[in-house]
Amino acid sequence: MRQLGIPTVKCRFVQQAILQVLDPLLDPTFSESSYGFRPGRSAHQALRRASEYVAEGRLIVVDMDLEKFFDRVNHDVLMERLARRIADKRLLRIVRRLLEAGIMKDGVVIERYEGTPQGGPLSPLLANLLLDELDKELERRGHRFCRYADDCNIYVKSKAAGERVMASVTRFLEKRLRLRVNRTKSAVAFVGERKFLGYRLLAGGRLTIAPESLERAKGRIREITRRNRGVSLGRIISELNSFLTGWVTYFRHASAKTHLIRMDEWIRRKLRCVRLKQRKRAKPIADFLRELGVPEWRAWILALSGKGWWRMAGSRPAAEAMTLQWFKEQGLVSLTERYLALRH
């Protein structure tokens, strides 16, 4: 869980005013390999560049994970970097006061000596300013890399080179920028063994959905389709559509048709399970199946079967009743259809 620092209205107003002045001055000086929280840049652009590096034969990735980055930014180091770019001492004093403002947690004000808490308009720009020094150092060394906020991947051609880069960049971050590298989450590995921005890169530069991203999506779908929620099927489908539309739009660049076909099937079975349980007893279940075209004798066999809801949802009578067309009529988004439409 990440802690968010939500500014008061007045503080947010001041931060936004400073951001609108500083962003046009600082952003053009940042590295071309930095993509996070910058106007006109996106995660998909970072993935495209990473894919190009892998296609060139850089199959080893140095995956750097900074430990609690936004909570661990050293104020002195950050202000020194900002003072190199901005001469106005009044503005520097205001930024310093914003950084050191206390946090109200559980009704108690806690003093802050480090960090730029996520939630304020100015924090992303200050984070990019600090990490731009890392970008410039990597460029000076001739490395191929992509950085999205505090997520930095460096692409090399051999494991030995990757180990050397990991060691030297870790020293640079900890000594020059006073940041901590999470050694348990950072690694030097084949690109297919790591994920970047929810995707996994394969040899040749092909993109696919990382297994962790699929599991996280399934976890969210399980929450929405819980059978004990006590809400209508229409509401469940509406919530599903809201999540699925955004999710598949983000992953539209992945080679994932097979995954999405299977997920569509799994989602439909989850919804069949919900609908059957909503009918509760044998007669309402049999009546519901008959209304949707299942022969009476088959409808009663399923209704009286005594199987669990999940097994009933996977049966042929349930599939014959709640068909693809039936789900379209209920308004359910098809991940596969939307994915193919976005790809074209």
Side-chain angles (χ1 to χ4, degrees), residues 150-216:
D150 58 333
D151 195 352
C152 184
N153 278 6
I154 306 165
Y155 298 91
V156 296
K157 292 187 175 182
S158 71
K159 199 79 177 284
E163 297 290 353
R164 288 195 300 270
V165 170
M166 174 67 84
S168 62
V169 173
T170 298
R171 285 195 300 270
F172 176 84
L173 286 167
E174 294 183 346
K175 290 183 178 179
R176 285 283 292 275
L177 301 183
R178 310 278 184 86
L179 297 171
R180 298 182 194 175
V181 174
N182 189 326
R183 286 169 171 77
T184 58
K185 291 185 178 180
S186 300
V188 177
F190 177 68
V191 288
E193 298 172 7
R194 307 293 292 181
K195 67 181 178 69
F196 182 48
L197 301 176
Y199 282 75
R200 185 170 64 172
L201 286 94
L202 304 178
R206 193 162 59 91
L207 294 169
T208 187
I209 304 174
E212 300 93 328
S213 300
L214 286 169
E215 284 306 310
R216 196 175 298 117

Side-chain angles (χ1 to χ4, degrees), residues 263-318:
M263 189 173 283
D264 270 334
E265 293 170 350
W266 179 72
I267 290 168
R268 288 194 295 270
R269 185 169 177 179
K270 295 285 285 182
L271 292 174
R272 289 185 185 112
C273 198
V274 169
R275 191 70 187 99
L276 288 172
K277 190 182 180 189
Q278 287 176 343
R279 306 301 289 184
K280 295 183 180 179
R281 296 181 179 84
K283 188 176 186 310
I285 291 172
D287 291 343
F288 171 69
L289 294 173
R290 285 193 300 107
E291 288 169 9
L292 294 177
V294 178
E296 184 173 0
W297 66 275
R298 294 185 64 196
W300 275 107
I301 286 175
L302 180 63
L304 296 170
S305 67
K307 295 177 180 177
W309 299 113
W310 182 249
R311 287 188 66 193
M312 289 174 68
S315 67
R316 285 192 63 185

Side-chain angles (χ1 to χ4, degrees), residues 19-39:
L19 176 67
Q20 289 178 203
V21 172
L22 291 185
D23 198 50
L25 297 175
L26 298 180
D27 189 81
T29 68
F30 292 158
S31 168
E32 285 297 311
S33 296
S34 166
Y35 296 90
F37 307 124
R38 296 183 62 189

